[in-house]
Amino acid sequence: DGGLRLHGFYGDVDHPGEYRQDLGRIRRNRWYDFVYHVKWSSHDDGFTIAWMNGRKVLTHHGPTLYPGISCYLKLANYHEPSRGASSIIFDRVMRGTGPRAVTVARLER
């Protein structure tokens, strides 16, 4: 539908819980800057916070993993069938100990 959204899954692998946030329509030929702060846990002490272009767009408190499965980052271009080609470039994927380690932008509180 031309929309951009974030998804996270946790809990029972056969019947997973999900948290998600719709971010609006994709604007072609534009860079998006995403920053994530995640505590990986299959228990209630986990969390995911996400920013897009410095604006906080997702806050989830609770499990962020399936029990017994370690964490991993999966970046993908899932979309409905379309007439034209599409591509996404993931550039400068970084891991750090805090926001200043991974971005120079000011992040909304």
Side-chain angles (χ1 to χ4, degrees):
D1 64 356
L4 187 61
R5 93 186 38 92
L6 299 175
H7 288 265
F9 298 93
Y10 60 90
D12 182 352
V13 175
D14 294 324
H15 302 359
E18 174 186 14
Y19 55 95
R20 66 185 276 170
Q21 182 63 49
D22 292 317
L23 302 175
R25 303 219 16 107
I26 294 173
R27 292 180 50 195
R28 292 182 169 278
N29 301 313
R30 179 174 184 209
W31 286 99
Y32 290 90
D33 181 37
F34 288 95
V35 175
Y36 302 97
H37 183 194
V38 181
K39 178 178 180 187
W40 299 106
S41 176
S42 58
H43 304 288
D44 288 336
D45 62 341
F47 62 82
T48 301
I49 303 168
W51 293 264
M52 181 176 79
N53 300 329
R55 185 173 63 92
K56 189 184 288 185
V57 294
L58 173 79
T59 301
H60 164 77
H61 293 279
T64 53
L65 288 175
Y66 297 112
I69 298 177
S70 62
C71 67
Y72 63 94
L73 175 65
K74 182 177 185 179
L75 302 172
N77 178 12
Y78 294 112
H79 58 85
E80 297 294 323
S82 64
R83 287 182 264 162
S86 69
S87 63
I88 292 180
I89 299 168
F90 297 102
D91 183 36
R92 212 184 112 204
V93 176
M94 301 174 70
R95 178 180 164 188
T97 57
R100 291 177 191 235
V102 297
T103 185
V104 294
R106 179 178 286 279
L107 300 178
E108 180 180 274
R109 292 188 152 270

